[in-house]
Amino acid sequence: MSSTTGTAASEAHEAPAPGGAATALLDAEGTVAGWSQAAQRLVGYSAAEMVGRPARTLLLLGGDVRGENPAAEQLAHRGCWSGPARIRHRDGRGIDVHLTAQSLAGRNGRSQWLVSATETSSPPSWAAPGPAVAEPSAVVVAEPPPVAVEIPRRLPIGVAMHGTQVRCIWVNDIQSVDNGGVPPPHSPGSPPHAVAGAEAESLEAVMHRMLESGDLVINGGDPAFSPDRARQDSPTAGSLFRLDDAQGRALGVCAVSTDDADARRAQDRLRILDEAGKRIGTTLDVMRTGQELADLAVPTLADYATVDLAESVLLGGEPPARPGSEGGDRTPAVRRAGLASIRPGAPESLFARGDPVSAPQASTFTGVLRSGRAYLEPVLNASPGTWLDHNDAARAAKVREHRMHSLMLVPISARGAVLGVATFIRTRDPRPFDEDDLLLAEELVRRAATSVDQARQYAREHSAALALQRHLLPRHPTGGAAADVAWRYLPADSHHGVGGDWFDVIPLSGARVALVVGDVVGHGINAAATMGQLRTAVHTLADLDVPPDELLAALDKQVTHLAEADAGPGGAPAGTTMTTTFLYAVYDPVTRLCTMARAGHPPPAVVDAHGGVTFPDLPVGAPLGLGMAPFESVTLELPEGSVLALYTDGLIEDRDHDIDFGMDRLGAALAQPGLSLEELCSSAVGSLPAGAPNDDVTLLLARTRSLGPGHVASWRFPGDAAVVGRARSLVTRQLARWGLEHLAESTELIVSELVTNAIIHGDGKCDRDRTIGLRLIRHAVLTCEVSDTSHSHPLLHRPTATDEHGRGLFLVSQLSRAWGARHVPDGKLVWVDQQLTPGPGPAP
């Protein structure tokens, strides 16, 4: 007996339980031969008063326990009886009890009865899971009621009597070794210490203590009580109690053991289900969940298990159509998501994990997948025409080779759709699957199906978020003639891959380029959606050629409007505030000037041609969405070959260090003049601390280029109509130098219209004191720019047949690839781009 039982006995000795079932031992004549203390507590009679008296004296209804009533007949023919009765307390009142009587046949042929009684106010001990025998009670046999509770003819109850020297003096036929019961520890004449180890010493000590105190001991399945310790598949539970004679002296100790296999089996199933809650669905990965189900099933339930899921489920799509619905007659394609076996390498499987699984249309596997109904075959028949198809010879060979003898197929269903099939097979375990096993398998699969469906929905949403972000981020950003660019984007969660960081490279008129880096607070699809809205707004403002500081002010209003539109009732925000940090820079390769402004964003890094790194002192500005404009711009001159680095705070923030440490680390990674832009990106990202980043990381590098005199020509003219012809002549000669004579005619018309408009509409009158600028830029396109001191932008409209003016810009739009206007410090500038065609001359 274990030390735990001994401790329980000790506690019982200190504080005896006030209630519980009561037990008495009757001889063949119905005379009380043994009486427990619980019986005394139930009816008030002590052992001295009851031992030697007929048990029927306690019955209020009377009757003889031997042959006068049906109860005695049941005992004689079936060896047991159970039913309600009413017995007399010592004070005369009646007590309603539930009686259970079990015939005990000794080795010498003498019959005795073990009778237990439990007040009907509480359920009988035998009806509850666990030990069938609780504390002893005063028991007599009563006239059975019209409807008696049926109990098995041969209860698996073993009884062994130990004398005052704790030696076994009597056993019944269940406990007897002659019937395959316990080995010598409970054989007549054997002491408890015949059980090897500390269990015997503990058991003997408990028996001696019981002889002194009479306390009850109930174990939870100790091997010392087991009627068959050699049978590991038959767990037991038992009780020890003392029997007294008429003088109240101890006659000995009675050991009662019962077969507790069903209760233990139920406990095992509960334990498996508890493990399922911990081990299945630990991630939002469909394949991982399928493998977790297979790993749990082997070897706790099966020797070999597979989990096959529809391909659409693995890809995050909708589950297959239900049978009978549109498209539901087609068998969906499935792949193996989980595979487990007691044999290394799972040689039973025809398909590896991740492989497509093929099954004949007439097979039971396909039938379960289509119908959604489980299939149980306790004794597996591997011949064609049963659960296998006639053409399924390969699977039949596996069945025979590995001696698969029992099968369960359980559909993996969620929300009315079949997601796949789980297969459970026994090979080495000789027990066939039964209905209880099928119920357990269905419960395991049900839990896994919920996780698979959640993972499928997550995969679908995750794919949508990734697709959204892929479409929102630039696919092939290029700096054109202004700069060479490279970039890196690392989400904080590399598995989810969705964040609020973004970057952009936006071509502007006049060969200029806009460099953008932003950071929306948060992660996931909401941050990505907000980022998409802001990116669209930035493109719109950039197309208007808005200066950086004005662009940030307009974008700040846009973020505020988005937050207000998302506000709940009463103006309370429905979600998190869409706070965003932002940096916008415009680089002009003709002047080599870079104008930039930031809103709560880290400053850019500028790396010169020799590897020197500086962080320009830009006004910080408040993050967008706080309504704390204005913003300020700063203009820097960048020599050709300079590297401008724009990044988000995830690249420089570190939980263990301040922001200055991160900026120094970034500067050291960029201070390598011999590296390409891609190598510099890798160096900067590689300088991050080990492990996943705490925040999204975005890095945009731009190495500046310049357009020298070979690609730019500019002139200035007074505001006089006479200069129009001169401007045309200068432009024609310049195009000839560039080998673009084929553009001379269209360019002359464009220059004529723009210069004329600048003279006529500049301030509403001709003024020889005003100057007009003309510039040609040859890069990816031919750009013609005309500037004046007026701040009014030209508007294009379709002229009618009677209009005398308004056809100039219409003509320009027809001749050009694109045109527009923007503000300059001393007025406005109108630009026109024409597509280049192949011609002589060096490329820019």
Side-chain angles (χ1 to χ4, degrees), residues 49 172 217 238 293 300 420 436 446 516 543 546 555 612 716 813:
E49 295 172 306
N172 73 332
V217 175
L293 173 58
T300 56
D436 289 340
R446 186 179 300 112
V516 177
D543 287 342
V546 179
L555 199 61
R716 296 201 68 82
S813 67

Side-chain angles (χ1 to χ4, degrees), residues 110-183:
R110 295 173 52 194
S111 297
Q112 292 181 305
W113 295 341
L114 181 68
V115 188
S116 64
T118 306
E119 286 191 77
T120 54
S121 58
S122 61
S125 61
W126 54 265
V133 177
E135 189 171 351
S137 70
V139 180
V140 292
V141 179
E143 187 74 22
V147 178
V149 178
E150 289 290 338
I151 59 177
R153 174 177 176 81
R154 179 185 173 90
L155 287 177
I157 298 177
V159 180
M161 301 294 299
H162 293 258
T164 55
Q165 301 302 316
V166 300
R167 288 182 174 274
C168 182
I169 59 177
W170 181 89
V171 294
N172 73 332
D173 56 348
I174 299 297
Q175 191 81 333
S176 172
V177 72
D178 293 344
N179 284 337
V182 297

Side-chain angles (χ1 to χ4, degrees), residues 261-348:
D262 290 340
R264 291 299 178 86
R265 193 177 184 188
Q267 291 175 359
D268 290 341
R269 295 178 185 277
L270 290 176
R271 185 174 63 254
I272 294 173
L273 293 177
D274 181 64
E275 283 295 309
K278 299 175 183 177
R279 294 170 52 183
I280 297 179
T282 59
T283 64
L284 289 173
D285 184 274
V286 177
M287 291 288 290
R288 176 71 177 272
T289 302
Q291 186 60 42
E292 288 170 345
L293 173 58
D295 289 339
L296 179 64
V298 176
T300 56
L301 179 61
D303 297 328
Y304 166 63
T306 62
V307 178
D308 302 318
L309 297 174
E311 287 187 346
S312 60
V313 174
L314 294 173
L315 297 176
E318 290 299 322
R322 292 176 297 177
S325 62
E326 183 179 355
D329 294 332
R330 296 189 300 270
T331 301
V334 296
R335 285 186 179 269
R336 184 135 296 169
L339 174 63
S341 171
I342 60 174
R343 296 177 173 86
E348 304 95 329

Side-chain angles (χ1 to χ4, degrees), residues 72-88:
E73 294 180 4
Q74 288 191 30
L75 283 172
H77 295 287
R78 307 182 60 160
C80 58
W81 177 86
S82 177
R86 188 173 181 82
I87 60 176
R88 180 185 298 109

Side-chain angles (χ1 to χ4, degrees), residues 657-726:
H657 304 90
D658 58 21
I659 198 74
D660 292 334
F661 177 86
M663 295 177 68
D664 292 341
R665 172 171 47 77
L666 174 61
L670 295 175
Q672 303 182 65
L675 299 183
S676 66
L677 288 181
E678 289 292 337
E679 291 171 332
L680 283 178
C681 282
S682 299
S683 175
V685 173
S687 68
L688 289 168
N694 300 324
D695 195 3
D696 300 331
V697 173
T698 299
L699 173 65
L700 174 62
L701 298 182
R703 178 168 278 136
T704 63
R705 303 168 66 179
S706 64
L707 294 177
H711 298 281
V712 180
S714 60
W715 306 271
R716 296 201 68 82
F717 306 102
D720 188 345
V723 304
V724 176
R726 182 185 172 198

Side-chain angles (χ1 to χ4, degrees), residues 735-815:
L735 293 179
R737 294 190 188 100
W738 285 343
L740 299 176
E741 295 89 345
H742 58 283
L743 294 179
E745 182 178 359
S746 59
T747 305
E748 286 183 6
L749 290 173
I750 291 172
V751 169
S752 295
E753 292 297 334
L754 295 183
V755 172
T756 300
N757 285 343
I759 294 173
I760 296 176
H761 302 291
D763 288 331
K765 62 180 180 178
C766 294
D767 186 355
R768 297 181 60 87
D769 295 331
R770 289 187 292 111
T771 60
I772 296 172
L774 172 61
R775 184 169 70 170
L776 293 180
I777 305 174
R778 180 178 184 269
H779 54 111
V781 294
L782 176 65
T783 300
C784 177
E785 297 178 342
V786 175
S787 60
D788 60 61
T789 57
S790 172
H791 292 278
S792 61
H793 278 220
L795 297 176
L796 175 66
H797 66 278
R798 183 178 295 275
T800 64
T802 59
D803 287 342
E804 297 183 359
H805 303 284
R807 292 177 175 82
L809 285 181
F810 180 77
L811 177 62
V812 168
S813 67
Q814 298 300 310
L815 295 174

